[in-house]
Amino acid sequence: MENLYEKSISELHDLLVSKEISATDLTKATFSRIKETDDTVKAFLTLNEEAALKLAEGQDIKGISKEEVLAGIPIGIKDNIVTNQLRTTAASKMLENFVPIYDATVMEKLYTAGMIPVGKLNMDEFAMGGSTETSYFQKTVNAWDETKVPGGSSGGSAASVAAGEIDRKSVV
C-alpha cells in the first residue's frame, strides 16, 4: 500500500472502515515512519509503541464503524498533556522521570473516540518559548527547512506533521 502518512484522516478512516487496512497496520506504519525520520527531526520525546499496538489491536477486534471518524487513527500528544503511565516531562529536566497516574480529560476523550496515542511530542520547556530550542532534551528541527524553527512552543507537533510522522490533523 502507498504511503499512508500522505493520506488525510478521512481517507484513512475510509480504509479502516472498509478493512483495506487495520488499525494495527496503520499504527505499525506510523511507528515505521517515525523511526525513519525522527533521528533527524527530533519531534518525539517518548514513544508509546507497546501500548499503542495493544490499543490498535483492540480497535481491530471491536471493528470501526463509519460514525467513529477518529477510531484507529494514530495521534501524537504534546508533552505537557498528562498521560497515565506514559512519561510526561513538559520538556523539562525537573519532570524528566515523571510518569502520571491519571489522564488529562483530553486524553480520556481521545481514548473514548478510539484514537491511538503513539507518543509524546517535544516542545519548549513548559511551553515557554517560540522555537522548541528551550527543550531540556533536544532541539526539534523543521522537517522542511533546517534553517527555520519548526513551529513555536509546539515545534515537536509541527515537525511531526511536516515529516509525515503524524497525520496533519491528528496532533493534540
Side-chain angles (χ1 to χ4, degrees):
M1 180 158 281
E2 69 266 23
N3 294 328
L4 294 173
Y5 64 86
E6 294 177 347
K7 299 202 171 293
S8 70
I9 286 180
S10 295
E11 292 170 313
L12 293 172
H13 173 67
D14 290 343
L15 291 171
L16 290 166
V17 170
S18 69
K19 298 188 179 189
E20 291 179 55
I21 63 169
S22 68
T24 302
D25 293 335
L26 181 55
T27 303
K28 285 180 179 178
T30 298
F31 281 112
S32 177
R33 180 66 181 172
I34 291 168
K35 289 173 185 170
E36 182 181 308
T37 59
D38 210 57
D39 283 345
T40 302
V41 177
K42 297 179 177 18
F44 281 89
L45 293 177
T46 304
L47 292 179
N48 190 35
E49 192 164 3
E50 186 178 330
L53 288 170
K54 283 183 183 177
L55 285 170
E57 289 168 10
Q59 282 293 338
D60 291 335
I61 291 167
K62 176 183 166 254
I64 297 171
S65 72
K66 189 172 183 171
E67 294 75 32
E68 298 173 295
V69 180
L70 299 176
I73 302 292
I75 184 169
I77 308 298
K78 188 173 176 180
D79 199 32
N80 63 348
I81 295 176
V82 177
T83 48
N84 187 22
Q85 299 304 306
L86 182 61
R87 185 174 80 132
T88 301
T89 70
S92 175
K93 178 172 178 45
M94 183 184 335
L95 296 172
E96 183 173 14
N97 298 308
F98 176 57
V99 179
I101 59 170
Y102 62 92
D103 278 319
T105 301
V106 68
M107 292 306 301
E108 293 171 3
K109 292 179 184 283
L110 293 172
Y111 286 124
T112 298
M115 296 197 85
I116 312 294
V118 296
K120 302 301 283 287
L121 293 159
N122 198 22
M123 55 188 276
D124 279 312
E125 187 172 15
F126 295 113
M128 295 191 307
S131 63
T132 319
E133 293 173 307
T134 66
S135 169
Y136 169 74
F137 300 101
Q138 61 193 13
K139 178 182 173 185
T140 298
V141 173
N142 183 313
W144 292 346
D145 184 346
E146 292 184 23
T147 66
K148 305 217 180 326
V149 298
S153 70
S154 297
S157 300
S160 71
V161 170
E165 296 173 340
I166 296 294
D167 186 277
R168 61 188 168 269
K169 295 179 187 86
S170 62
V171 175
V172 171

